[in-house]
Amino acid sequence: MNRELTAEMILRLASSAGSLLGRRIALGMDGRTSGPMLREAAIGGLLSVGCTIYDMGILPTPVLQFSVKGLGLDGGLMLTASHNPPEFNGLKVVASDGVEVPRGVEEEIESLYYRGGPPLSPWDEVGVVRGVNPIEAYEAAVLSHVDREGIRRAGLRVALDPGNGVSVLTAPSVAGRLGCPVYSINAEIDGRFPGRGSEPRPDNLNGLRALVEATGADLGVAFDGDGDRAIFVDERGEVHWGDRSFALVARDFIQRNPGEAVATPVSSSRVVEDVVRGGGGRIIWTRVGSVVVSRTMVELGVKLGGEENGGIFYAPHLPVRDGTMAMALILDIMAREGKPLSKLFGELPRYHQMKERIPCPSHLKEVVMERIRGMVDAPRIESIDGLKLWYDDGSWILIRPSGTEPIIRLYAEAGEPGRVSALIERHKRLVAEAMETSG
Ligand code: MG
């Protein structure tokens, strides 16, 4: 912040986005220290091209997205760096359907930005700012998708760890409105993320696990900085990663909507495929990235999507990932099934996973991946995103160059821990070999 991204850049990006998206634009920000500075710049940019700004202040990204669609606006700008460390910030551009704009529109905005920005409005056509508080309409919509009375009767006790992020504004209130006693830690918005950082990870959720234990809660939920991802802890304090909580939601969804499809990136656990196929549903593998999942859902009319990082996309609400909606869906399942969360997770097949990152200069990635393609051998190879090799025992490994960092990622999964580490070791050597012959 203030090194690569500045207020001046945001001003011109906002005017470029505003001139392309339309006249009625929502504006919001997460709780980062640079938010107010960037917000003023964004307001200046949007007003300079004649936009009416629906100023929503600090709020979770999915609430802004929901409100763009709900209020029938032409688009929205969200100042957020999601789960990234506090020194970062960024601009997320939302289309009128509430979903992040496709890459093509982003490129148009960037191109206008680099050409010096759009023509500015004359004095009598500059825009105006309207204050909007969209939280109540959002919460009412989330509550409408679950069995409020059923959850209330179940009396589930909820421990929350918003990680000093903006889900503080919706998650405790939604849980409370579902009749759940709520306990929380890191529940003050603080752009420095002093509690446990802005990204929930298995190694920084000890506070939440202790809270679950101390309060006897039925579940714990941790959110990322801008509130679109949720990670769950069962009543015994065990952390379950995002593809497993998504598998619970997917299993329930397919049971109630037989034959429907579910979208998930190729990096997700096969537990998702197991429960979806097992229930008679269809699985649609996508490239990695939340925008890809959302856009795939919109295009194909898919009602449910999910990511291994804890993003759950529920299209009857909105096909974007939403931590508070995810929490409500899990509460709904727990109330209907009447089983402890550890039991529900225990019903899922268990696989062992390993991830590895191998440094690789970005300019070499393409060549290295081409080499690897010639070296690997497996009964089933998918190249939706990177290379995914499937073996006959159900194990798989994904070799995928990162879109943003100079690394190649390996994701592997197998029924046995020994098998998964062997897969990682073998392919680490293979990537190293491919790099040697490419460099
Ligand atoms: Mg996020």
Side-chain angles (χ1 to χ4, degrees), residues 260-272:
E260 285 280 349
V262 167
T264 197
V266 286
S267 53
S268 290
S269 168
R270 74 166 293 171
V271 70
V272 176

Side-chain angles (χ1 to χ4, degrees), residues 65-110:
Q65 295 181 286
F66 174 81
S67 310
V68 166
K69 186 170 182 203
L71 295 172
L73 305 183
D74 297 313
L77 300 184
M78 180 73 191
L79 296 159
T80 176
S82 187
H83 59 280
N84 290 295
E87 63 270 30
F88 291 88
N89 213 334
L91 179 68
K92 190 166 177 163
V93 183
V94 175
S96 58
D97 62 1
V99 178
E100 226 177 308
V101 294
R103 184 64 201 139
V105 175
E106 248 177 36
E107 280 164 5
E108 270 181 68
I109 294 169
E110 282 163 17

Side-chain angles (χ1 to χ4, degrees), residues 28-64:
M29 61 179 172
D30 65 17
R32 287 166 192 271
T33 56
S34 54
M37 174 185 81
L38 299 185
R39 171 174 167 273
E40 298 298 328
I43 289 177
L46 288 169
L47 294 180
S48 73
V49 292
C51 291
T52 298
I53 299 173
Y54 292 73
D55 183 12
M56 300 184 180
I58 296 183
L59 79 177
T61 300
V63 180
L64 178 117

